Amino acid sequence: MAADTNTDHAASDPSRIHPVDRLRPVHTLIPFAIQHVLVMVATPISAVFLIANALSLSPQTTSAVLSAVFVFSGLGSILQSVGVWRIGVRLPFVMVPGGAATILFISIGQGTDLSTAVGAVLITGVFYIVAVTLFVRLLKFFPPLVIGVMVVVIGINLIQVTGKLIVGEPGTYSYGDPQNLLLGCVTIVITVLSFRFLRGMLGKLSIAIGLVGGTVLAAVMGKTTFTEQLDGPLFATPTLLPLGAPTFDLVAAIPMLLWALASMAEATGQTIINGEIVGKKVEPTRDVPRLIRADGLITVAGALFGTPALVTSGENVGIVRASGVRSRFVTAFAGILLILIGVSPLARILNGIPPAVVGGSAVVVFAIIAVLGIQMLARVDFNQTGNLITATVGLAAGLLPVLLPGMYAHLPANAASLLGSGVAMAAFVSVLLNLLFHHTGRRDRHPKSRTPIEDPSRLEQRPGDYRI
């Protein structure tokens, strides 16, 4: 009876409901959901057009795959946000095609054929679901030290990727185009000014306002291509097996399976940092498997309609932190919008926003992720030698392939793919070093290093100011 009374009180007093679980009014739900969509919309569009160009897909097939990517990204966002049984983490997340997964899909398709690439995605989705039970047992080796290193590398890696939307690819004619630099900088400036001077709901929509402002400037400069995107079908729907029936080749799928392991480690970091942002306690052994199962289920379903592997994205985590809007129903509604975009011409039309404008918004969002990783590391005691070396070498291993892309190009393709993933290397090296320093031999063999703060003479002068 007491339990029922407590439930009634919670229902009658919305303030007692955790902000993550609070359903916001429709008039605020919609604009916040649109903000999430605007920031992440470039990822599915660019992924599909990259696949179409690399694998020479017909316009009809491209349209079907683009529709499928949006629809299943939307379904995945709803599943992660709302949750069904033990599938879905029930945190504000969106789902998009994985960047590395897209490249691997293209690589397998070029090395074999499209049907084998589809089969590799299906194998990967099943692997997610099956391997998660074993992966959970390894979570004890992912303390905040390791997670913090991973989140910093995730943020910096995303900044590097989206920065190219502003400056272009090195070696190309458009690299460093002053007009694109202007658009990216203006988008960032408008975003910053919105955070500084706008209040209430408008302040929380600063990311979207920056993107809209940059787009308006781009239109004045003649850099938008909305009218060019209008050609095409009025409605588009996913088509079952548009790339042909799958062919299952386990050897061909190995690179994608290795990527899946790294993706699971990345999902661990994203789940924990999202929980910290929204102020909701995360149980890694319970919540990480829920997230990974949803990734696996949507990946399997999407593969049947021609999509690359779909993964829960860190793209929106920075938006949640910047806006302060923590409701998971915002990202669930964003999922509905993604589905509507997938069956309408909006996917093509939104592609008319200049990449430099999207990059300006995305750089701000992803830089927030890197800062959140730094915030996690700030709580680690780096006076302990083991912690210091783990973070130092883990960051170096993760950032080297990000800052020096192609450094492993002369190695075999599979090895280069794995070693070239900054997040994978940061996770792998940090976990190994954490094992070395904290799970082997004597635990007290790595004493705290003495810093200037711990100078005994200073401690005698002001004993209350320092911890020994």
Side-chain angles (χ1 to χ4, degrees), residues 66-397:
L66 182 62
S67 173
V69 166
F70 270 102
V71 168
F72 284 98
S73 292
L75 290 173
S77 301
I78 295 170
L79 183 59
Q80 293 290 21
S81 301
V82 177
V84 178
W85 188 54
R86 296 181 179 179
I87 303 174
V89 71
R90 294 180 176 88
L91 287 173
F93 271 122
V94 296
M95 192 175 284
V96 295
T102 299
I103 301 302
L104 289 171
F105 183 85
I106 292 171
S107 176
I108 295 171
Q110 291 175 332
T112 55
D113 52 41
L114 286 172
S115 62
T116 303
V118 173
V121 177
L122 285 168
I123 291 172
T124 301
V126 173
F127 178 74
Y128 267 124
I129 299 170
V130 173
V132 69
T133 303
L134 174 62
F135 183 76
V136 168
R137 299 180 182 178
L138 303 177
L139 286 178
K140 63 181 178 180
F141 302 120
F142 288 82
L145 170 64
V146 174
I147 297 298
V149 170
M150 289 172 54
V151 172
V152 170
V153 174
I154 289 171
I156 294 176
N157 185 48
L158 290 172
I159 292 171
Q160 189 258 2
V161 171
T162 54
K164 292 180 181 178
L165 294 176
I166 301 175
V167 303
E169 290 285 345
T172 62
Y173 175 77
S174 61
Y175 183 66
D177 184 332
Q179 289 189 333
N180 289 335
L181 292 175
L182 175 64
L183 287 175
C185 290
V186 168
T187 302
I188 294 172
V189 169
I190 294 174
T191 302
V192 172
L193 293 177
S194 298
F195 276 121
R196 174 63 182 86
F197 294 108
L198 298 182
R199 294 291 181 267
M201 182 174 172
L202 286 178
K204 294 177 180 179
L205 290 170
S206 295
I207 300 292
I209 291 172
L211 192 143
V212 171
T215 303
V216 170
L217 175 61
V220 172
M221 296 170 60
K223 300 284 285 185
T224 56
T225 59
F226 293 116
T227 56
E228 298 174 16
Q229 310 297 329
L230 294 177
D231 294 334
L234 183 59
F235 294 101
T237 56
T239 303
L240 184 64
L241 300 178
L243 306 180
T247 300
F248 298 102
D249 185 338
L250 188 58
V251 174
I254 287 176
M256 199 171 284
L257 295 177
L258 293 175
W259 164 82
L261 289 172
S263 178
M264 290 182 190
E266 184 174 352
T268 303
Q270 290 175 347
T271 303
I272 292 174
I273 197 67
N274 201 334
E276 290 204 358
I277 289 171
V278 300
K280 188 168 186 178
K281 183 174 177 59
V282 167
E283 293 290 345
T285 56
R286 177 197 66 197
D287 295 320
V288 172
R290 288 178 173 177
L291 183 141
I292 293 174
R293 289 188 195 105
D295 279 359
L297 181 62
I298 295 297
T299 291
V300 169
L304 296 175
F305 292 86
T307 73
L310 298 168
V311 294
T312 298
S313 169
E315 293 192 14
N316 72 307
V317 176
I319 300 176
V320 175
R321 176 62 183 85
S323 68
V325 179
R326 295 179 279 177
S327 172
R328 57 192 172 97
F329 296 103
V330 170
T331 48
F333 192 79
I336 295 174
L337 295 179
L338 290 172
I339 295 172
L340 294 177
I341 290 172
V343 297
S344 73
L346 278 175
R348 298 194 311 275
I349 295 173
L350 287 172
N351 195 39
I353 300 175
V357 175
V358 177
S361 294
V363 162
V364 174
V365 171
F366 296 149
I368 290 174
I369 295 175
V371 171
L372 292 171
I374 295 172
Q375 186 177 8
M376 292 184 71
L377 290 177
R379 298 196 291 267
V380 176
D381 182 6
F382 285 115
N383 289 324
Q384 290 190 7
T385 302
N387 291 342
L388 178 64
I389 298 303
T390 298
T392 300
V393 180
L395 282 171

